[in-house]
Amino acid sequence: LGVVTLAQVSGRVVDGDGAPLAGVVIHHTARADERVIEGADALLATTRTGADGAFSLPVIPGEVTLTAVAAGLPATSTLVRWIAPAAAVTGLEIVVDLAAGLRGHVVDEAGRAVDGALIVGERIGPSAPAPVGSAAALVFGGATSLADGGFHLTGLPAGEPLRIVARKAGHAPAVTEVTLSAGAEREVELALPPAGTIAGRVVDAAGAASAGAIVTATPRGVPLAVSRAVAAADGRFVIGDLAGGV
């Protein structure tokens, strides 16, 4: 057993104009340095900002990440590279930019409104080089299209490229890329292409069925969703809702 002397971190949260933000939740995550305590990342204390945007909380010495989360605003993090036991870091300022929004309609290949489609925004670029729909992509928002095909995404990060994806069974996914402005909304139309299907059978070198084999379909040179199927007991598989192309 060991005894750790905590450190203290304080500061305030403001918007892009420097105005204080009250009621923002501050999540504290720490990676303890081996000179102080052994252990992996741990989600520790949380607190809320006061009316003046100020916050203060005890932290485990080491590398500390503070993340500010407020309704309708993108999460913003600040990293303190190293803080010593019993030390106090003051005057931190976390700037939370206004979130962006996106409105639009989902239609089919004939231009007819599609209801019940799921629409999400996914971060792309060097910080998240991941295929559409993969677990590695950071997903924002989430909306379902209405009877007229309309949808509204809120709380999207501004100033960085996002991939907007619409999906519905029986259609290939619709994808577009946008960069949104802080505090602004933009309109898009997402047209779901007709879906294709690949069917086949997986066998081993001896020609016997390979039950449980995972079959993956990835469109060449097109950043669309990677689709998968699991081979049945007879080795047969079907992958649907695929976009046209190679």
Side-chain angles (χ1 to χ4, degrees):
L1 297 177
V3 177
V4 177
T5 302
L6 298 179
Q8 193 77 19
V9 174
S10 61
R12 67 181 194 137
V13 179
V14 299
D15 64 18
D17 295 325
L21 294 175
V24 177
V25 176
I26 308 296
H27 294 282
H28 158 217
T29 305
R31 180 183 292 275
D33 188 275
E34 62 184 3
R35 291 171 294 175
V36 178
I37 184 173
E38 294 183 358
D41 281 352
L43 181 61
L44 303 169
T46 63
T47 189
R48 286 182 181 269
T49 58
D52 58 354
F55 67 89
S56 180
L57 75 165
V59 299
I60 285 182
E63 183 182 274
V64 174
T65 300
L66 301 176
T67 301
V69 180
L73 297 175
T76 304
S77 295
T78 295
L79 176 66
V80 180
R81 287 290 182 184
W82 168 251
I83 183 169
V89 174
T90 62
L92 285 179
E93 186 170 84
I94 302 176
V95 180
V96 179
D97 288 327
L98 292 176
L102 189 73
R103 293 181 181 271
H105 288 81
V106 181
V107 298
D108 62 15
E109 67 273 15
R112 296 170 296 207
V114 175
D115 68 335
L118 175 64
I119 306 97
V120 297
E122 298 179 344
R123 174 176 280 136
I124 57 177
S127 61
V132 173
S134 73
L138 292 177
V139 179
F140 296 91
T144 302
S145 60
L146 304 176
D148 63 353
F151 67 89
H152 185 202
L153 290 175
T154 60
L156 299 174
E160 61 178 285
L162 297 176
R163 183 186 291 128
I164 308 301
V165 186
R167 299 180 179 86
K168 185 172 182 181
H171 300 269
V175 182
T176 190
E177 294 183 6
V178 298
T179 299
L180 304 173
S181 299
E185 287 200 334
R186 182 171 167 181
E187 292 197 11
V188 298
E189 181 176 272
L190 298 171
L192 296 169
T197 299
I198 297 175
R201 185 167 181 260
V202 183
V203 297
D204 61 20
S210 293
I214 298 175
V215 184
T216 301
T218 307
R220 180 181 300 170
V222 181
L224 293 181
V226 177
S227 299
R228 297 177 176 83
V230 179
D234 61 357
R236 297 188 182 279
F237 69 89
V238 177
I239 302 178
D241 297 348
L242 297 173
V246 179

